[in-house]
Amino acid sequence: MVLSNNFFGLFIDAFGMSYETTWLPLEPPQIIGVIPLHGSFRCRWFPFAIQRTKTKFGDLKMRQTPCDLPVALTKSAAMRYLCECAGYGYHLFQLGSVPAAKLIPLIEKFDAQYGVLAKRSTRDYSRLKGRSRTRLVLFPRTSSPVENPRGEWQFWVMATDGQGALPTEKSTADGRLPTSRLTWGNQYELVSRPVRRRTGELVHVWTWALTEAHYARWKQAFKKAAGRVRSSQERKPNYLIKLVAALRNVPGFHAINRQKRALIDGADIPHRWHVELNLKTLGTVVNKALPVFGPERTAVSMLRDSGDLHAVSQTNASSSA
C-alpha cells in the first residue's frame, strides 16, 4: 500500500469509518512511502487521495442518515422480514402507527433511545457483550388497492433479550407468549410452529396466521356465500367469486394457507363450484428467494414522492423553534 500526502484521511478510512469525503485522482500520484503487504494480495500504488473539508479530528462528523432506513418492497416482503427477525431472536417488540409528518423524528428518537440504526458490527459486538439488539421495521398503512405514504405509517421496534432500554420498558411485549403476539393490524399475528429437523431436533419456526377475530369474519362470509349458491331461490355465485378472489390475495404463509384450506372445506360449497373456481389452488406460497428491500425504496424517498417531505421539514423547524 502506498501512502499519499493525505495519509491521515487514508488511515481513518482503513478502519471503515464513514466520513464526508471527496476522492480526487492524483496525476501522477504523490507517493510518500510504501508499506509491503504480505500474502496473496499485492498493491503497487494507491491512485487516489482524500480531501476533507475539516482537518481536525474532533470536527469530523460521521454520516448520519436516518431517512435512508429501507422500506420493504411489498406487504408480503415486510411480513416476511418481521418473521425472519423473530427467527433471529427479536422476540420483544413495541408497535404502533405515526403520521407521515412525524416519521423522521420518530426514527431519530428510536435511534437515540435504542440504537435502531446501528451497524452490523455494532450489533455483533452487543451480542457478544450480552446486550439487547434492536431493529426498526416501517411500512405505510395500506389503503386499498395501493399503499398510502401520505397517511399513517406502521412501525415495529423489535429487540432481543439482554441488557438494554427496550426490554425493561413496561410497554414492551413478548411475541413468544400467546397473549402478546406481534400483530399486523387486526388481521394477522406472528406465531411459532414446531418443526422436526432431519437430525431429529425439534425447533420452532415463525410464520403468520389469521387472528381469531379475522378468521371468524372470513368463516362467516364463506358460510353466507355458500348458502347463496345452494339456495334454490337465489343461486347467486357473484359473492362467492369475489370472496375467493379476495382470499387468494391474502399472503401465502404456511399457517395462513392452512387456514385458507380450512375455510373452503368448512363452508359446504357445492362440488360444481369447487371445479369452476378451482378451489384446490388458493393462491401462491410466499417466495423467500425474492428480495425484501430495494436500493431506491427508503423512507425519505417515499415521503418525497408523496409530497410529505416538505411537511416533515416544517414540523422539524417548528419543533426546534
Side-chain angles (χ1 to χ4, degrees):
M1 178 183 293
V2 176
L3 304 182
S4 68
N5 57 351
N6 202 337
F7 167 70
F8 177 74
L10 181 61
F11 178 77
I12 293 297
D13 278 346
F15 287 87
M17 295 184 179
S18 57
Y19 294 99
E20 295 292 340
T21 59
T22 303
W23 296 80
L24 300 176
L26 298 180
E27 298 178 356
Q30 303 176 12
I31 301 176
I32 295 179
V34 178
I35 298 178
L37 300 176
H38 301 282
S40 59
F41 180 79
R42 291 292 185 268
C43 181
R44 295 180 58 190
W45 50 275
F46 192 79
F48 295 95
I50 300 176
Q51 180 181 1
R52 298 186 181 278
T53 57
K54 296 182 180 181
T55 55
K56 294 183 180 180
F57 181 77
D59 294 336
L60 298 177
K61 296 182 180 180
M62 287 193 298
R63 185 180 301 135
Q64 297 181 356
T65 54
C67 304
D68 288 341
L69 191 70
V71 180
L73 295 172
T74 61
K75 178 180 177 180
S76 297
M79 296 175 69
R80 198 184 94 203
Y81 183 69
L82 290 170
C83 193
E84 292 174 354
C85 288
Y88 282 107
Y90 291 83
H91 305 134
L92 308 177
F93 69 92
Q94 295 180 11
L95 56 83
S97 60
V98 61
K102 298 182 180 180
L103 180 63
I104 302 304
L106 182 74
I107 299 175
E108 296 174 347
K109 174 185 175 182
F110 284 159
D111 185 44
Q113 292 180 348
Y114 312 125
V116 296
L117 301 176
K119 296 182 179 180
R120 182 175 180 178
S121 57
T122 305
R123 299 180 191 275
D124 292 341
Y125 183 76
S126 299
R127 176 177 55 83
L128 295 176
K129 292 295 183 179
R131 301 170 185 167
S132 176
R133 293 157 289 151
T134 313
R135 291 186 180 274
L136 176 61
V137 183
L138 300 172
F139 198 78
R141 189 177 296 278
T142 54
S143 178
S144 182
V146 295
E147 300 165 5
N148 184 20
R150 296 183 63 92
E152 291 186 342
W153 283 66
Q154 303 175 93
F155 68 86
W156 297 264
V157 188
M158 307 180 68
T160 60
D161 293 322
Q163 301 177 358
L166 193 138
T168 59
E169 294 183 359
K170 295 182 179 180
S171 57
T172 301
D174 192 339
R176 292 166 292 189
L177 303 177
T179 57
S180 59
R181 287 172 174 164
L182 187 146
T183 59
W184 184 290
N186 58 355
Q187 299 174 320
Y188 313 108
E189 60 182 1
L190 197 60
V191 299
S192 62
R193 59 184 181 92
V195 174
R196 182 78 61 180
R197 299 296 189 189
R198 294 180 179 179
T199 58
E201 181 186 4
L202 185 65
V203 297
H204 285 77
V205 179
W206 291 87
T207 184
W208 287 94
L210 301 174
T211 61
E212 293 184 3
H214 197 50
Y215 181 82
R217 287 193 293 268
W218 275 105
K219 187 176 181 179
Q220 183 64 26
F222 269 100
K223 182 179 179 180
K224 179 180 178 181
R228 287 188 178 183
V229 297
R230 290 196 314 267
S231 174
S232 59
Q233 298 179 354
E234 298 184 8
R235 297 197 181 272
K236 297 179 180 179
N238 295 337
Y239 184 59
L240 178 62
I241 294 174
K242 293 180 180 179
L243 203 59
V244 171
L247 186 65
R248 287 195 171 106
N249 290 331
V250 176
F253 292 90
H254 184 272
I256 292 179
N257 286 336
R258 297 187 65 176
Q259 290 175 315
K260 288 181 182 181
R261 177 53 51 192
L263 288 171
I264 297 299
D265 294 342
D268 193 17
I269 301 174
H271 178 72
R272 169 194 170 187
W273 297 106
H274 277 266
V275 177
E276 292 192 13
L277 298 179
N278 190 19
L279 295 183
K280 290 184 178 181
T281 304
L282 297 175
T284 59
V285 179
V286 173
N287 188 358
K288 296 183 179 180
L290 296 177
V292 176
F293 303 106
E296 303 297 331
R297 186 178 168 90
T298 61
V300 67
S301 65
M302 296 183 68
L303 290 174
R304 184 187 299 113
D305 295 340
S306 63
D308 282 337
L309 194 60
H310 180 66
V312 173
S313 302
Q314 288 182 343
T315 303
N316 294 341
S318 60
S319 60
S320 60

